[in-house]
Amino acid sequence: MVTAAYRPLAHVLIRRIMLLATACALLLSAVQGVLTYRQVQQRFEATLQDIVSSNLPMLSVGIWDIEAEAVRRQVETIVAKPEIGYARLNVATGQVFEAGDAALLRQQPSRRFEIPPPRGSGEALGTLLIVVQPALLYQALTQALLAIFLGYLLLTLLICSLVAYVLRREVERPLRGMADFAGRLAPSSLTVPLQLSRPPRPHHDEIDLVARGFATLQAAISRHIDTLDQQVEERTRQLDAALSDIRELSIRDGLTGCYNRALLSERLPSELERAQRYQRPLAVVFCDADHFKPVNDRFGHLAGDEVLRAIALRINSQLRQDIDWVVRFGGEEFVIVLPETDLAAALVTAERLRAAISTSVILADGRTVQITASLGVAAFQSGEDVESLLNRADTQLYLAKQGGRNRVMG
Amino acid sequence: MRRMLALLLCCLSLPAMALSVTFINPGKHDEVYWLTATRAMEAAASDLGIRLQVLYAEREHPRALALARQIIALPAAQRPDYVVFSNDYGTAPELLRLFEAAGIRSFMAFSGRDDQPGQPAIGLPRMHFRHWLGSLEPRAEDAGYLTARALIERGRRAGLPRVNGKLPLLAIGGDRSTPSSLLRSEGMRRAVTEAGDVVLLQEVYAGWNQQRAEEQGGWLFRRYPQARLLWAGNDLMAFGAMDAWRQRGGQPGKDAFFSGINTSAQALAALRDDSLSVLAGGHFIAGAWSLVMLYDYHHGRDFADEGLELVRPMFTLFNDRSAAQFMQRYGKLDFSRVDFRRYSKQHNPGLRRYNFDFRQLL
C-alpha cells in the first residue's frame, strides 16, 4: 500500500475557509462596487443641485456686478468640491473662467447650466460647464473595496487561527496521543488504559467516543486472551495427564502395576551410581513364582493373571513405601530393588516376601490356588555394574530353584 | 514788530500748549488723493503750530483698528491730544469705542457718521461717545451730482445716439459701505433723474481701483454696446474705464465720455487733453479744515455753535482754466502758500462762520 503524504485536517479546513472567504469577498466587492458607483452618482447629482441652488445665484450676482474676483472664487469653490473635476464659465460678454483639470473635459461627461440674470428675466449671463471628478469614484471604490478586503482578511485570519488552534488542541493532539498509544500497544501492556491529557469538560465529544471505543476494544481483546490462556492451561493439564499416563504406561507393567524392564534398565544404573558415590548399601532380589505354568494350564490365563496381580500386591505390601521398588522382569519373574539395604537386611526382606507370597490365593470365582516363590538375593558390590549384579541375583535364584524351590538364596 | 513778538511768544508757548494730532489716513501712502490730503494737513499744521502725525491704513480697514490700538497702547505722555480719522468701510463705531475707552479726543473727517441698519446707532458727537468732538465732511453728494450733470450735458452736446429717446449711462462706484461713496452715487442718480432723458443702465463697484474698473469697463462695454457715457466715483476708476474703452478701439473724449472725481495731476492732465470730459475735486482739503477747527477748539473756540456734524460743500467742477491754475499752484502738492490761519476763528475773532469752499484757494 502506498502511503499518501501527511496533511493535517487543519490545513484542509483552512484552505477551504480561505477559498470561501475569497469568494465571499469577491461577491461582496462586486455588490459594493455597484452600490458605491450609484452612491457616487447620487453624490454628484446632489452636488449639482447644490451648485444650482447656491453657486449659480452667487455667480449670477458676481457676473452682473462684474466682481471678477468673486466670480473666480465661485468657480474655484465649485471645483473645490470633491465631486467636481473641472468647471468652466463662459460669460456672455466673452470672459472665460476655468478651474480644475481641463483634460477631464475630453474624458468625462459634462453638464451645462445657463446662468440667469440676478433679477430673473432677461438673457442668460453665461453658461457653466461642469465635469465630474472621476478620481472620486476610484477613491470611493478603493476605500470601500479596501475595507471589505481588509475586513475579510482579518476575519479569515481569525477564523483560521481559531480553527487551527481548536483542531490542534481538540483533535490533532488527542489523535496523535491515540496513534502513539496504539503504536506502543503490546500484549503485555494491553490492559494499560489510554490516557489523554485533556482538561476536564462537561460534555464529551468524538475524541471521547474514540477513546471509549479503544477501551472497549482493549477489554474485548484482553478477555479473549484470558480465555485463550485458560484453554491453553486446560489443554496443557490434559496433555500433562496424558503424558504422565503414557509415562506410567511406558514404565509400568499393565497387568501387575509393577515397573517394567524398561524402567529397570533406566533407573537401576542411577541407583547403582548413587550407592557407589555415597558408599551406600544396595540389594537386588530376584523372585520367581514356582510352578506357575501349571497354574495357567489348570486355571486359565485369566486366573494366571489374577495370581500374578496377587503376587505383586503381596510383594509391594512388604516393602518400604517410596524407597523400595518392584519390576515385573518377565512372565512370573519379579525384580525387587532395595536401596539402603545390605545383604542381611535384604535376606530378611526376601524371607518376608517369600512368606507373604506363600499363602493361597482366592480367585474371583472362589477357587483357591496354592502358590510359592523362589528368591535370589544379591547385594551391590563396589565397582559392580548392573548386569553383574542382576546376574548374581539370578544365579542365587537359580540356586534356590535347584535347592527345591520356595526358598531364599543369597 | 508787535506781530513778530506775538509770533515769538506763540512759538515759545508751543511746547507748553502741546497741541498734537494723529491722523489715521485710510488710504495708501502713495495714493495721490490721500497723499494730497496729507500734504494739505501738513501745511495747515505747520501754519497753526500743530504737531501732526499721519498713519496710513493702506486701504485695509482692519489696519485702521490696529493703528488705533497702537495709539491707545502708547504711554499717556506720548498720546496725541486729538485723533482725526475717516469713517471708511464703516470702521467708525469700533474706532470711537476704542478712543472713548482710552479717553482720547477724536474727530471724524472726510467721511462722517453713517448708522448702518442692524448695528447700534453711535449717536451724536459728545453724547454717547463724550470724547468724540464732531465731524467735518465734504458734501459728497455734490461731487456725484456735479460730475454727472456735466457729463450728461457733454453727451447731449455731442449728440450721442439714444436708446428709446434716452441717453444710456454706465456708472462705476467706489464701494458699497463708505458713506462718501454712497453719497456720490446718490448725487449721480439725482442728476440722472433731473435730466429726464438719461437712463442709468447699471452701476458696479470697483473698490476705487483702476485695474478693477478697467476689467469691469470691459465687461460693461460688451454688455451694453450702445452706452457712451461713463460716470466714475473717482479719477482712477475713470482711467480704468477709459483704458477698457481704448482696448475696444475707442477714443475717450471723442466717441465716449468719462467723468471722474479728484485733483490728481494725472486727472487734471487728462481733463486738459480732453480724454477725461468732466472732473470735480478739492475735497482733500477737509483734513486741513479739520485741523483749523481742532486748533480753534483747543483754544476755547468750540465749533458747536455751527453744528457738531458739519457737511460743507468743498467740491469744485474743474474746467481747462481752473485745472491749469490748480496745477500751477499745487501741482507739486505744496500747500504752503495757503495761510490757514486766515480761516481760524482764534486768529480771526471776527469770523462767525467757517468758509470751507475750495474755490477760494484757486
Side-chain angles (χ1 to χ4, degrees):
Chain A
M1 182 180 139
V2 180
T3 347
Y6 176 71
R7 194 174 67 175
L9 273 177
H11 191 192
V12 179
L13 255 179
I14 285 171
R15 270 183 61 174
R16 295 277 160 82
I17 291 172
M18 298 261 259
L19 275 174
L20 193 68
T22 310
C24 280
L26 285 175
L27 187 70
L28 214 72
S29 300
V31 173
Q32 185 66 42
V34 173
L35 287 179
T36 307
Y37 180 77
R38 287 170 67 177
Q39 196 185 346
V40 169
Q41 291 296 324
Q42 281 168 3
R43 263 182 75 180
F44 181 61
E45 287 303 323
T47 306
L48 287 181
Q49 281 306 311
D50 186 38
I51 288 170
V52 167
S53 64
S54 65
N55 295 86
L56 281 196
M58 303 273 275
L59 270 178
S60 169
V61 171
I63 294 169
W64 181 256
D65 286 346
I66 316 181
E67 300 286 351
E69 196 48 50
V71 170
R72 195 168 294 121
R73 272 202 304 276
Q74 275 300 318
V75 174
E76 276 162 10
T77 306
I78 289 170
V79 173
K81 294 173 195 288
E83 294 83 1
I84 307 301
Y86 172 72
R88 189 169 70 193
L89 172 68
N90 289 310
V91 184
T93 46
Q95 292 79 10
V96 175
F97 297 85
E98 63 174 354
D101 184 5
L104 292 175
L105 193 59
R106 289 191 302 276
Q107 306 158 6
Q108 299 291 322
S110 61
R111 291 291 194 87
R112 192 178 294 273
F113 297 98
E114 297 277 310
I115 295 170
R119 271 175 283 275
S121 59
E123 273 180 46
L125 297 182
T127 52
L128 179 67
L129 197 74
I130 287 175
V131 181
V132 67
Q133 173 59 268
L136 181 77
L137 179 64
Y138 304 141
Q139 197 187 338
L141 275 178
T142 312
Q143 275 175 0
L145 297 189
L146 197 67
I148 286 174
F149 273 107
L150 281 180
Y152 262 88
L153 188 66
L154 192 68
L155 187 68
T156 308
L157 280 179
L158 284 176
I159 289 176
C160 285
S161 23
L162 190 69
V163 164
Y165 172 75
V166 168
L167 279 182
R168 179 161 301 164
R169 193 185 125 118
E170 301 293 328
V171 177
E172 191 193 337
R173 214 177 289 162
L175 281 182
R176 268 185 192 278
M178 282 184 206
D180 288 351
F181 175 79
R184 279 197 311 269
L185 212 54
S188 58
S189 59
L190 195 60
T191 52
V192 176
L194 168 61
Q195 294 283 349
L196 293 175
S197 53
R198 305 180 82 199
R201 60 197 64 211
H203 311 289
H204 60 264
D205 52 20
E206 290 85 343
I207 298 297
D208 293 317
L209 286 181
V210 173
R212 209 177 300 155
F214 249 87
T216 311
L217 182 65
Q218 272 178 277
I221 291 175
S222 191
R223 260 200 314 279
H224 182 62
I225 289 176
D226 279 354
T227 313
L228 278 181
D229 281 351
Q230 275 174 15
Q231 284 181 349
V232 167
E233 201 174 312
E234 177 68 26
R235 293 285 189 280
T236 308
R237 213 171 56 239
Q238 287 172 352
L239 193 61
D240 280 352
L243 274 174
S244 82
D245 282 357
I246 290 168
R247 171 132 184 95
E248 256 338 88
L249 284 173
S250 71
I251 63 171
R252 286 196 193 271
D253 170 45
L255 181 65
T256 61
C258 296
Y259 293 120
N260 58 17
R261 283 186 69 171
L263 183 91
L264 181 72
S265 51
E266 181 188 316
R267 190 163 163 186
L268 191 56
S270 57
E271 290 277 5
L272 253 61
E273 199 180 317
R274 191 165 62 237
Q276 179 73 36
R277 188 187 305 151
Y278 299 111
Q279 290 296 306
R280 303 304 299 174
L282 170 74
V284 175
V285 177
F286 255 85
C287 171
D288 190 71
D290 296 333
H291 304 298
F292 189 71
K293 194 168 168 41
V295 172
N296 269 344
D297 296 341
R298 240 175 83 201
F299 294 96
H301 283 282
L302 284 175
D305 289 349
E306 224 173 314
V307 170
L308 282 175
R309 273 200 293 273
I311 292 170
L313 203 63
R314 288 171 183 183
I315 291 171
N316 271 308
S317 69
Q318 297 303 315
L319 296 176
R320 292 169 294 176
Q321 198 85 30
D322 295 333
I323 297 171
D324 304 333
W325 45 283
V326 183
V327 172
R328 187 185 175 203
F329 199 69
E332 64 276 14
E333 198 173 14
F334 295 89
V335 173
I336 300 107
V337 179
L338 305 169
E340 301 292 330
T341 307
D342 58 11
L343 185 61
L347 285 173
V348 171
T349 302
E351 185 53 36
R352 226 176 34 242
L353 292 174
R354 189 204 56 78
I357 294 165
S358 307
T359 50
S360 49
V361 176
I362 299 167
L363 298 175
D365 54 7
R367 287 179 295 173
T368 306
V369 179
Q370 189 59 49
I371 199 157
T372 59
S374 302
L375 297 98
V377 180
F380 170 66
Q381 293 171 354
S382 184
E384 194 180 19
D385 62 2
V386 170
E387 198 175 353
S388 164
L389 179 62
L390 289 178
N391 274 340
R392 284 199 296 114
D394 193 36
T395 304
Q396 292 302 321
L397 173 64
Y398 177 75
L399 290 177
K401 292 273 184 190
Q402 290 295 313
R405 295 187 170 86
N406 192 18
R407 64 192 64 211
V408 175
M409 286 300 288
Chain B
M1 187 67 198
R2 272 182 69 180
R3 212 180 138 186
M4 284 287 283
L5 199 67
L7 201 68
L8 194 68
L9 274 172
C10 198
C11 287
L12 283 174
S13 62
L14 258 179
M17 305 292 279
L19 175 51
S20 59
V21 176
T22 297
F23 171 47
I24 300 177
N25 188 327
K28 298 183 177 177
H29 66 281
D30 54 359
E31 192 176 338
V32 175
Y33 169 75
W34 286 108
L35 192 61
T36 315
T38 296
R39 289 287 158 79
M41 284 177 84
E42 280 169 352
S46 165
D47 285 350
L48 299 169
I50 297 172
R51 275 193 291 136
L52 176 71
Q53 190 189 14
V54 181
L55 305 171
Y56 291 91
E58 309 287 350
R59 281 218 183 272
E60 294 169 26
H61 55 278
R63 205 155 159 170
L65 300 174
L67 292 172
R69 290 195 188 92
Q70 276 177 30
I71 294 166
I72 289 165
L74 290 171
Q78 291 178 37
R79 286 181 186 172
D81 294 314
Y82 304 91
V83 173
V84 174
F85 65 90
S86 171
N87 182 20
D88 273 41
Y89 302 101
T91 48
E94 187 58 27
L95 288 169
L96 286 176
R97 256 189 292 283
L98 287 168
F99 293 131
E100 187 67 21
I104 296 175
R105 284 174 290 187
S106 61
F107 189 84
M108 245 188 255
F110 300 100
S111 269
R113 176 163 63 93
D114 169 49
D115 290 332
Q116 301 279 340
Q119 284 188 354
I122 59 176
L124 296 172
R126 308 187 194 181
M127 284 182 71
H128 183 60
F129 296 105
R130 305 185 63 81
H131 293 86
W132 173 33
L133 300 177
S135 63
L136 170 66
E137 52 179 318
R139 217 162 66 195
E141 206 256 4
D142 284 359
Y145 179 75
L146 291 173
T147 48
R149 198 178 60 181
L151 183 68
I152 291 166
E153 189 49 45
R154 183 75 184 83
R156 282 181 186 143
R157 257 194 290 129
L160 289 177
R162 291 169 182 257
V163 178
N164 297 331
K166 294 194 171 188
L167 284 171
L169 174 73
L170 292 173
I172 298 180
D175 62 68
R176 298 170 194 270
S177 51
T178 307
S180 63
S181 173
L182 299 174
L183 287 168
R184 285 182 195 182
S185 298
E186 226 168 76
M188 176 269 293
R189 285 202 194 86
R190 181 159 65 91
V192 169
T193 312
E194 279 179 11
D197 61 341
V198 178
V199 59
L200 175 62
L201 294 173
Q202 190 179 352
E203 180 177 6
V204 295
Y205 298 88
W208 313 108
N209 184 295
Q210 179 169 352
Q211 212 177 336
R212 272 186 72 186
E214 180 183 335
E215 187 177 40
Q216 292 181 334
W219 291 47
L220 285 172
F221 293 134
R222 291 184 75 155
R223 190 179 288 171
Y224 305 104
Q226 70 277 31
R228 292 289 184 277
L229 294 176
L230 190 135
W231 176 92
N234 75 351
D235 52 345
L236 291 175
M237 296 189 291
F239 294 146
M242 286 154 69
D243 289 342
W245 184 250
R246 286 193 188 96
Q247 280 160 25
R248 290 179 60 78
Q251 287 180 295
K254 290 208 164 58
D255 45 15
F257 305 102
F258 298 81
S259 79
I261 298 169
N262 275 352
T263 49
S264 66
Q266 200 190 352
L268 293 162
L271 185 70
R272 294 188 68 187
D273 71 19
D274 212 27
S275 59
L276 182 66
S277 305
V278 178
L279 181 70
H283 60 300
F284 66 84
I285 203 70
W289 294 146
S290 298
L291 288 185
V292 172
M293 287 168 71
L294 286 176
Y295 175 82
D296 289 348
Y297 174 85
H298 193 69
H299 293 90
R301 292 178 183 273
D302 196 349
F303 50 85
D305 56 335
E306 286 198 47
L308 295 177
E309 294 176 289
L310 300 184
V311 182
R312 292 291 168 89
M314 291 178 205
F315 286 98
T316 303
L317 206 54
F318 285 87
N319 55 28
D320 192 45
R321 197 183 57 79
S322 56
Q325 208 157 13
F326 184 89
M327 282 301 285
Q328 186 213 326
R329 292 194 174 179
Y330 310 116
K332 294 191 168 70
L333 301 187
D334 177 13
F335 298 92
S336 58
R337 61 176 295 152
V338 181
D339 182 6
F340 285 95
R341 281 171 300 192
R342 280 180 53 198
Y343 307 97
S344 155
K345 290 177 181 171
Q346 170 71 4
H347 287 285
N348 306 282
L351 189 63
R352 287 280 160 264
R353 188 180 159 80
Y354 290 121
N355 177 11
F356 289 153
D357 199 334
F358 185 74
R359 269 172 294 197
Q360 60 192 314
L361 302 184
L362 284 173

